[in-house]
Amino acid sequence: MAEEEGRIVGFINGAGVNETTIRDEMFEDATMHREEGQWQMIFGVATLPEYQKMGCASKLMERVIADVKEQERKGIVLTCKESLIPFYERFGFVNEGKSMSKHGGAVWYDMRLVFEEL
């Protein structure tokens, strides 16, 4: 979560799981979260409009990546729209193609970041 003067201006949410891909059920069923899960799923990256294009989401991603590495998980998985693929590739995520997800009726792409050093 990113804050400025006590106001939340951005956040990333998700869950730890032992599955290797995001399933639509994960968005709605928090009981699927496993504290010891080997993969960190990211469900959403959000920044208030007035804080977009200022590096807020990038700083949040850097922090999440560092935290997940520290937790010794295998990596991070997320889905994104096509226009955001280059954003996530900057952090080392690899585009695995169109996702099976139908969440929100959009076309999603599976993105994965694997921590080689584990």
Side-chain angles (χ1 to χ4, degrees), residues 81 99 101-108:
K81 294 180 179 169
S99 174
S101 176
K102 304 294 182 209
H103 185 73
V107 174
W108 300 99

Side-chain angles (χ1 to χ4, degrees), residues 3-102:
E3 293 183 67
E4 184 173 279
E5 297 178 10
R7 179 179 179 210
I8 297 171
V9 299
F11 68 87
I12 294 178
N13 67 347
V17 300
N18 287 314
E19 299 181 44
T20 59
T21 57
I22 291 180
R23 293 187 294 125
D24 287 347
E25 295 84 5
M26 292 176 182
F27 290 96
E28 299 173 5
D29 186 357
T31 66
M32 296 180 84
H33 171 71
R34 300 288 176 261
E35 188 67 31
E36 75 290 346
Q38 290 298 299
W39 290 94
Q40 177 66 50
M41 302 293 157
I42 292 180
F43 300 148
V45 178
T47 307
L48 289 176
E50 61 266 32
Y51 287 85
Q52 293 174 358
K53 307 288 186 206
M54 297 174 63
C56 184
S58 293
K59 288 178 185 169
L60 285 168
M61 283 301 301
E62 290 167 358
R63 177 59 186 263
V64 167
I65 291 168
D67 287 350
V68 174
K69 280 184 178 180
E70 185 176 304
Q71 295 163 3
E72 298 183 347
R73 297 184 196 262
K74 291 182 179 180
I76 303 173
V77 178
L78 59 85
T79 58
C80 70
K81 294 180 179 169
E82 187 173 19
S83 63
L84 290 172
I85 291 171
F87 173 77
Y88 293 109
E89 287 177 334
R90 289 189 318 205
F91 299 97
F93 283 83
V94 174
N95 177 3
E96 296 182 330
K98 285 187 181 178
S99 174
M100 296 296 294
S101 176
K102 304 294 182 209

